[in-house]
Amino acid sequence: MDTRAWAANNLAARLLAAPWTAQAIAAGIDSVLGSVLHRRARAALAVHLAALGEGGYPPAPGALTAHLIGSEHLRPLRGHMVAAVLDPPLFAPIAPFADLRIPALATLGALADWLGLSPGQLDWLADERRGHGRAAGPALQHYRYAFVGKRDGRLRLVEAPKPRLKAIQRRILREILSAVPVHACANGFVAGRSCLTGAQVHAGEAVVATFDLAQFFPSLGLGRIHGIFRSLGYPWAVARRLAGLCTTVTPASVFQRLPEFQRPDPGVRALHGAPHLPQGAPTSPALANLLAWTLDRRLHGLARAAGANYTRYADDLAFSGDADFANCLGRFRKAVEAILDEEGFSLNTAKTRIMPRGARQRVTGIVVNEHCNIGRDEFDTLKAILHNCARTGPLARTARRRRISAAISTARSPGWSRSIRGAGRSCGGCLRESTGVPPPRHDVPGSSG
């Protein structure tokens, strides 16, 4: 290895072991190349490298080394040796996350110990060798796969992790991701927020516009997930394994089980064929909310500039406002599409809805024309079920009991109409006694479709 490549490799190792800030980059260059590179060249290299990072997130090791080798500023003096870098990697969160109380895992060994795994088991579950996409048999796959029908007749793929990986993901969610704040406009899968809190923002407005993000979870790839963990302070290799534990590659055999006419288009299969957030993993909603933070910030700013309101529940975007907002919706929609494109998302245009006050206005399945309410169809169905329950006794199927119990709990929550709350009070006790199911959280209705 020549002097230039040796210097590039050692400098990359030193820089990636510290926060990606201008000050830390300059200090790293001075410590590694202080005796072999002129001061002006070191200063110019520091400025150049600082511009490479995006939001405090450095390049990958290989990309950084290659960039250094090709840099015009890296010209080591002949006859001077570059010492090997032996500094251990550091847990170094960027400034906004510096005070978070999360595990400070600086090495792969520390990560494996924290999860109760051997290094080999960690690499296997994180799919470090990228073999999961070629695993044909269920025994070699980390997920169970099921296709669920959507309202438009298409199929949604649910990728549910097997018990061991699911327990690991739950720990990552509980001890790392849950500590990271999300944008105030995100209402899905956040403690203390729900589809109801998001819908209340839009009640009584002149117009409501809802948009749907296409392929929300599959479009969030490994690089973006890795960036989240790097920003939280985890060194490159640790962040890589954490990202691997939270993403998956869908084996091609999963789609081959379907009849030809039911298979998704090649674009959707390509998204699943690359590492992505699995819809069905405990960590996916939290990571999606964190990755959508900049999107939420920009759309919230756009809405405020237009005198409108904005909320997001998973992949459902909702805006509302007065008559002036209604008059500029054409331009507003184009601005939304531009922001989505810049942030790496796209619209499912078939699910865009513009709802004036004279029509039924729905946000995440909740009617918001005057105040939050469930739709007439849902009311009639719930009323009939409660009547049948009171007349015939316990319901047979556990899954159905839980669904009905959730509907009653939602109908009785603050902000719903008096008639619905009354129905919940009069018949809810009967259902509770006959099912024995405790009240669930209010995140059940209006799930993303």
Side-chain angles (χ1 to χ4, degrees), residues 66-303:
H67 190 85
L68 288 170
I69 292 175
S71 173
E72 62 179 353
H73 304 295
L74 186 60
R75 295 284 188 269
L77 297 174
R78 292 184 179 179
H80 292 72
M81 293 296 296
V82 177
V85 173
L86 301 177
D87 295 338
L90 301 175
F91 175 77
I94 64 174
F97 302 139
D99 296 329
L100 294 181
R101 301 183 65 180
I102 58 178
L105 307 169
T107 66
L108 292 178
L111 175 61
D113 288 345
W114 182 66
L115 293 173
L117 303 172
S118 69
Q121 291 171 331
L122 175 61
D123 285 352
W124 163 250
L125 290 170
D127 194 26
E128 183 60 22
R129 296 187 177 181
R130 296 292 173 261
H132 191 265
R134 301 187 297 274
L140 298 178
Q141 297 170 359
H142 300 323
Y143 290 79
R144 294 189 175 97
Y145 302 95
F147 289 94
V148 179
K150 300 169 69 173
R151 295 175 186 174
D152 59 6
R154 294 180 298 170
L155 298 178
R156 174 191 290 114
L157 175 62
V158 175
E159 302 174 284
K162 291 181 179 179
R164 191 177 193 186
L165 180 57
K166 188 173 186 177
I168 290 172
Q169 291 174 344
R170 281 178 169 165
R171 185 168 190 186
I172 294 172
L173 172 64
R174 182 176 63 253
E175 300 189 31
I176 297 178
L177 300 177
S178 294
V180 188
V182 301
H183 197 278
C185 292
N187 286 273
F189 313 101
V190 181
R193 308 180 201 174
S194 66
C195 58
L196 180 57
T197 61
Q200 287 171 337
V201 174
H202 306 286
E205 294 290 354
V207 65
V208 174
T210 57
F211 303 90
D212 183 80
L213 299 178
Q215 300 299 322
F216 184 50
F217 288 108
S219 67
L220 299 173
L222 179 68
R224 300 172 77 171
I225 310 303
H226 185 250
I228 288 289
F229 288 113
R230 284 291 286 132
S231 299
L232 292 175
Y234 295 104
W236 197 93
V238 176
R240 173 81 175 214
R241 298 308 189 281
L242 286 169
L245 291 169
C246 298
T247 57
T248 187
V249 175
T250 308
S253 59
V254 171
F255 292 108
Q256 291 171 356
R257 303 173 192 168
L258 295 173
E260 185 68 34
F261 71 92
Q262 286 187 316
R263 293 178 188 174
D265 61 64
V268 173
R269 285 181 299 200
L271 288 175
H272 285 85
H276 62 276
L277 281 185
Q279 186 166 359
T283 46
S284 292
L287 283 167
N289 277 337
L290 296 179
L291 289 168
W293 190 91
T294 304
L295 174 69
D296 289 334
R297 179 179 60 83
R298 295 185 66 185
L299 291 179
H300 180 235
L302 177 67

